[in-house]
């Protein structure tokens, strides 16, 4: 059984239907991101004052049928005025498991983002960042370069994951994780979410290098799909990523770690 740490939600999904799809695919647990609080905002339009609360409420209701298997990461957009309250509300009152962010038109060291990290650090919860090329039609990838995430050295209680192996900057991603690894005491504080983005020829290469350089305790698996609608794609990703790990030289034990036990450690589940 695997854990998929990278699933998007659109609002309107039902927890029970997600659980059913998980059983069909062979997923033990899934990590679900809240709806982006700024979704639907035209550029320059003010977001509703309770944008984060709405997103967190929706996500908390979605995971309620089985919070052990459905794990919610609140989507926080630090540039919105209610971001800080949103962190406390999501992680405190709503007991969501952590935070997801995409640096977009702000850098990871942005003061507004750091104010959020400070709170997340106090809550001691994990984070997942989009890293690497950011799709769309604007000049957004520059904000997601791996070296910028060294800012997380200042927030040592946050176990953070860098999604997509930061493709195309996979080497930079591995180097940054190597730096965190060389400073870690005990368990890793930095993780690499191997969710696709990188075409296979790069991905297998990056996985081989990651395993050789970092060992097998930093990698976690995600599909970048959604459930139940994207179940077929989620199942395909799980099959293909298992194949790619094998091609990269991973043993059964390593595959188990990448698909399962590393994610438990990242999430703080014993
Ligand atoms: Zn994604």
């Amino acid at each position: 059984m695997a854990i998929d740490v990278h699933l998007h939600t659109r609002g309107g999904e039902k927890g029970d239907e997600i659980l059913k799809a998980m059983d069909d695919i062979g997923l033990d647990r899934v990590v679900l991101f809240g709806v982006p609080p700024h979704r639907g905002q035209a550029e320059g339009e003010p977001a509703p004052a309770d944008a984060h609360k709405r997103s967190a409420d929706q996500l908390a209701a979605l995971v309620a049928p089985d919070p052990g298997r459905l794990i919610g990461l609140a989507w926080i957009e630090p540039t919105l005025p209610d971001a800080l309250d949103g962190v406390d509300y999501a992680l405190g009152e709503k007991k969501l498991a952590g935070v997801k962010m995409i640096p977009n038109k702000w850098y990871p060291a942005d003061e507004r983002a750091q104010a959020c990290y400070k709170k997340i650090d106090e809550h001691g919860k994990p984070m997942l960042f989009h890293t690497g090329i950011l799709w769309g039609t604007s000049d957004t990838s520059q904000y997601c370069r791996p070296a910028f995430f060294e800012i997380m050295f200042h927030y040592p209680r946050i176990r953070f994951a860098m999604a997509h192996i930061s493709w195309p900057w996979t080497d930079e991603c591995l180097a940054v994780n190597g730096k965190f690894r060389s400073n870690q005491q005990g368990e890793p504080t930095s993780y690499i979410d191997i969710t696709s983005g990188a075409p296979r020829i790069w991905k297998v290469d990056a996985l081989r290098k990651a395993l050789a350089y970092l060992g097998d305790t930093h990698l976690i698996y995600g599909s970048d799909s959604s459930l139940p609608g994207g179940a077929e794609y989620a199942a395909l990703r799980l099959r293909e990523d298992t194949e790619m790990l094998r091609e990269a030289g991973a043993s059964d034990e390593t595959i188990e770690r990448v698909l399962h036990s590393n994610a438990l450690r990242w999430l703080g589940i014993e």
Side-chain angles (χ1 to χ4, degrees), residues 159-214:
R159 295 176 304 279
F160 71 101
M162 296 169 68
H164 311 288
I165 331 177
S166 309
W167 190 74
W169 302 298
T170 49
D171 284 354
E172 190 173 314
C173 178
L174 299 188
V176 168
N177 277 270
K179 185 168 166 178
F180 276 92
R181 184 174 196 260
S182 74
N183 285 282
Q184 91 193 24
Q185 276 130 23
E187 301 294 346
T189 51
S190 72
Y191 287 82
I192 299 174
D193 162 13
I194 67 168
T195 290
S196 277
R200 189 170 181 130
I201 187 168
W202 275 275
K203 187 159 176 178
V204 172
D205 181 59
L207 290 173
R208 188 176 287 122
K209 287 173 175 163
L211 291 171
Y213 178 49
L214 297 168

Side-chain angles (χ1 to χ4, degrees), residues 6 8 33 100 130 164 195 224:
H6 198 124
H8 289 269
F33 308 147
K100 144 89 175 178
H130 175 93
H164 311 288
T195 290
D224 211 0

